């Protein structure tokens, strides 16, 4: 084997630094065709692919470069069933809390823990309070960083033609106990990952009429909260992709 | 003009649903070459490009489809200077809190608020407590969702050959007051966006030796926290991209 100059730094950018139109379009395609999947078709994900996805997550941005994420790959069947049970329990608690939308909610499929090829639990490790850079006034930036890592994994999965769903219906203390996490660790998501027979053409919660996407225009303001944006997001579909 | 069938849904996926190898590579490239930029070269971002980026953000995943993000484009010079001042104030407070790393920290450039072509403040609107789906036990999922939207914008910006930096060094209450946010709104980031003369080849905090990237292997576990992963992430650089 030949010696490599930088064997541990595969992320050095190469020249040229610019993205082509085709590359740019591919990035937008992943962003717009990513879906929160709950329907999986079994199958498997190769170790090589899984490592590519995990490396994409690990190259997410993190406040002060703290890298506050850990990934537990749950292969054990009993543990998977334990997670499934925790999600079902929280699903019922959530349904009760939703009141008049209870029945609509109970019709939705909210997880694929038993069907997906892989289940990854994402958790933040103990000791996060030691990280002050960018978090003194916004301590939640560790959560934000971990979410960015998950979004990287999600987009990469879409580009690998794999579905992913982020399940947050669980009691974090119970999940931490099930997976023997140390005090101070905090699970943020159960990721279901694997082949799907097809991707939803629109977000499932939109297809099921649980909620509608707000017009982009309503999300935008100029300078201060009360001032409408001078950008014209309405009807400009040609520029949307 | 011809009538469109679904004028407001540019995100319907098209057939075929699979990504090509070239598309997949482009997505990984954006993930691995995205940088938290603090050096900008002025210039401008066209409204059309800005809208593409904001639409990418708005197509981030959100828990229960709650879409908990708002974007304030700060063009007013006095407001930009006000934000710059808030960041400088927090920079000093953070330096004090860091103790022995104070001097190293003060050498770092932490913002490009006055230099970037655009400044976007991302904030979450009031009323988030009404959203229970996926948040009854994990209320921080609104923060996670907003972070995913920002990550979409970040990757899209990289694909547009634009730099972006996420600044979280500010007192959120003071920033909310400066931009006249209503009670219950919560700013999560000041995004500096625009042309750069070059992208850092590695994360700036790594280049400046503030922190090193942890080996991926250390981030991975099997089934339970204490159990090392059977995946072999070490040295497998060929699969990293």
């Amino acid at each position: 084997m030949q010696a490599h100059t930088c064997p541990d730094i595969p992320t050095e950018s190469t020249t040229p630094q610019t993205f082509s139109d085709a590359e740019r379009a591919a990035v937008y395609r992943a962003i717009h065709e990513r879906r929160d999947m709950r329907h999986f078709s079994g199958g498997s994900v190769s170790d090589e692919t899984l490592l590519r996805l995990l490396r994409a997550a690990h190259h997410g941005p993190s406040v002060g470069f703290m890298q506050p994420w850990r990934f537990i790959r749950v292969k054990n069947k009993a543990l998977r069933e334990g997670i499934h049970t925790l999600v079902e329990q929280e699903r019922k608690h959530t349904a009760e809390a939703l009141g008049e939308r209870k029945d609509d909610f109970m019709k939705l499929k909210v997880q694929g823990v038993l069907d997906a090829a892989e289940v990854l639990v994402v958790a933040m490790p103990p000791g996060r309070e030691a990280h002050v850079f960018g978090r003194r006034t916004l301590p939640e930036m560790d959560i934000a960083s971990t979410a960015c890592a998950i979004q990287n994994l999600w987009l990469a999965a879409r580009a690998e033609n794999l579905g992913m769903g982020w399940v947050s219906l669980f009691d974090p203390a119970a999940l931490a106990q099930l997976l023997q996490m140390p005090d101070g660790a905090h699970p943020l998501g159960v990721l279901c990952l694997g082949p799907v027979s097809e991707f939803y053409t629109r977000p499932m919660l939109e297809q099921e009429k649980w909620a509608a996407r707000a017009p982009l225009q309503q999300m935008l303001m100029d300078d201060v909260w009360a001032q409408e944006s001078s950008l014209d997001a309405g009807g400009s579909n040609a520029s949307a992709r």
Side-chain angles (χ1 to χ4, degrees), chain A residues 3-176:
Chain A
H4 294 281
T5 318
C6 289
D8 280 314
I9 307 162
T11 53
E12 290 261 357
S13 70
T14 50
T15 50
Q17 290 201 313
T18 56
F19 276 59
S20 69
D21 288 350
E23 287 176 310
R24 186 182 70 168
V27 173
Y28 278 114
R29 188 183 169 197
I31 286 170
H32 287 290
E33 297 185 15
R34 179 207 53 77
R35 292 289 176 268
D36 195 342
M37 299 302 298
R38 294 105 193 266
H39 296 82
F40 295 87
S41 56
S44 64
V45 179
S46 73
D47 282 4
E48 191 184 331
T49 303
L50 194 54
L51 281 167
R52 272 200 302 271
L53 297 177
L54 290 163
R55 196 173 294 272
H58 189 41
H59 283 75
S62 64
V63 64
F65 215 59
M66 68 180 285
Q67 307 164 75
W69 42 66
R70 300 293 184 274
F71 301 89
I72 307 178
R73 182 191 192 188
V74 181
K75 298 200 73 168
N76 180 283
K77 197 168 185 302
L79 288 175
R80 278 235 206 167
E81 283 166 357
I83 294 172
H84 181 267
T85 300
L86 289 181
V87 175
E88 281 303 302
Q89 284 169 354
E90 178 50 34
R91 184 168 161 255
K92 292 185 186 102
H93 291 312
T94 297
E96 294 300 329
L98 282 168
E100 61 182 22
R101 299 202 73 182
K102 177 183 172 182
D103 292 344
D104 285 346
F105 175 77
M106 285 302 286
K107 285 178 198 154
L108 299 171
K109 183 167 170 65
V110 297
Q111 66 163 315
V113 169
L114 297 181
D115 316 316
E118 295 282 347
V119 170
L120 300 169
V121 172
V122 183
M124 300 187 294
R128 299 185 300 286
E129 59 285 355
H131 296 267
V132 174
F133 189 163
R135 291 186 68 227
R136 204 189 68 90
T137 57
L138 290 170
E140 68 267 31
M141 283 301 292
D142 57 350
I143 293 163
S145 300
T146 303
C148 286
I150 294 172
Q151 180 68 358
N152 267 7
L153 200 159
W154 217 335
L155 294 168
R158 184 61 191 87
E160 299 273 6
N161 302 308
L162 295 172
M164 198 194 101
W166 180 343
V167 179
S168 62
L169 288 155
F170 56 82
D171 172 353
L175 182 59

